[in-house]
């Protein structure tokens, strides 16, 4: 058995930890957001990306294409496939707490099902905007975490729950008015200061791309290089593999 296969099987062992998450875990478990969301067609050559969209369904076309082109099978569940409050995309963010609680349950269920379907594959959890809040609020065994369209920390000084043993990349543009409005104290600290304070694990890093919105466009060489480097460093297949 080659080293890659051994690493993948080793990762599969932590999949059993998902059985500890509340829920039936049955193979026939229904997941309308996963079933009615977007799923790429290609097989997972390098692993799985579970994308948690923003306050509304978010088609990050260039990011999606990047993952698919480089061998990742992409799943983008649609949280609106279940009965829930309407999108909370502007202040005062009506029903936001209820929405986050619902989306946490949805994300845990989707992760459990993907672990069952692809027990040997690493799973990258990618949260954008509101989905970033969900991802940062989860303590579940995944291969790595990517956050876009969100600060490095959570609102109201809530603790980041990502395990310090899981690599994480937070990438944002410096045009951050659309994410600052959810943070009441944002005027009193810079994005860099927030990240330096929040990212306490040596496996967590942040990149801020000048002149960009959320997420930074991957036509920007610095944004693409940062994502590429993160995936290379945390690849279970071949840590020296280069992606385009």
């Amino acid at each position: 058995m080659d080293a890659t296969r051994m690493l993948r099987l080793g990762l599969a062992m932590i999949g059993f930890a998902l059985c500890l998450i509340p829920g039936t875990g049955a193979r026939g478990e229904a997941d309308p957001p996963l079933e009615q969301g977007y799923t790429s067609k290609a097989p997972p050559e390098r692993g799985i990306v579970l994308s948690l969209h923003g306050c509304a369904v978010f088609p990050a076309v260039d990011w999606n294409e990047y993952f698919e082109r480089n061998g990742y099978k992409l799943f983008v569940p649609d949280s609106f496939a279940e009965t829930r409050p309407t999108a909370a995309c502007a202040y005062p963010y009506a029903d936001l707490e209820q929405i986050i609680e619902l989306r946490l349950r949805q994300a845990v269920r989707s992760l459990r099902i993907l672990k069952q379907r692809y027990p040997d594959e690493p799973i990258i959890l990618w949260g954008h905007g509101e989905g970033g809040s969900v991802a940062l609020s989860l303590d579940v065994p995944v291969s790595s975490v990517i956050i876009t369209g969100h600060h490095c920390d959570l609102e109201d000084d809530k603790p980041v729950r990502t395990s310090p043993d899981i690599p994480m990349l937070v990438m944002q543009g410096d045009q951050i008015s659309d994410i600052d409005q959810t943070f009441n104290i944002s005027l009193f600290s810079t994005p860099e200061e927030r990240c330096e304070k929040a990212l306490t694990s040596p496996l967590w890093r942040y990149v801020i791309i000048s002149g960009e919105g959320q997420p930074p466009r991957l036509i920007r060489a610095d944004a693409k290089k940062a994502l590429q480097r993160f995936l290379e460093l945390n690849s279970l297949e071949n840590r020296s593999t280069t992606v385009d």
Side-chain angles (χ1 to χ4, degrees), residues 70-91:
N70 287 288
Y72 295 93
K73 190 169 185 66
L74 181 66
F75 292 87
V76 189
D78 178 1
S79 74
F80 294 91
E82 293 183 307
T83 302
R84 50 153 287 172
T86 57
C89 295
Y91 186 82

Side-chain angles (χ1 to χ4, degrees), residues 151-152 172 174 176 189-198 206 208-209:
H151 283 300
C152 294
Q172 59 180 237
D174 65 354
I176 58 173
S189 59
T190 67
E192 290 85 356
E193 289 170 338
R194 301 183 75 89
C195 289
E196 293 292 339
K197 180 179 179 180
Y206 70 93
I208 298 177
I209 308 298

Side-chain angles (χ1 to χ4, degrees), residues 49-68:
V49 174
L50 176 62
S51 172
L52 305 180
H53 64 70
C55 61
V57 177
F58 180 75
V61 176
D62 59 338
W63 282 66
N64 292 352
E65 290 179 346
Y66 181 90
F67 285 122
E68 294 180 41

Side-chain angles (χ1 to χ4, degrees), residues 29 31 33 71 79 83 89 109 139 145 158 170 181 198 205 214:
E29 184 177 9
D31 188 351
S79 74
T83 302
C89 295
R109 184 179 60 208
D139 181 9
V145 174
K158 295 176 183 174
V170 180
Q181 56 187 332
R205 65 185 303 253
Q214 316 305 331

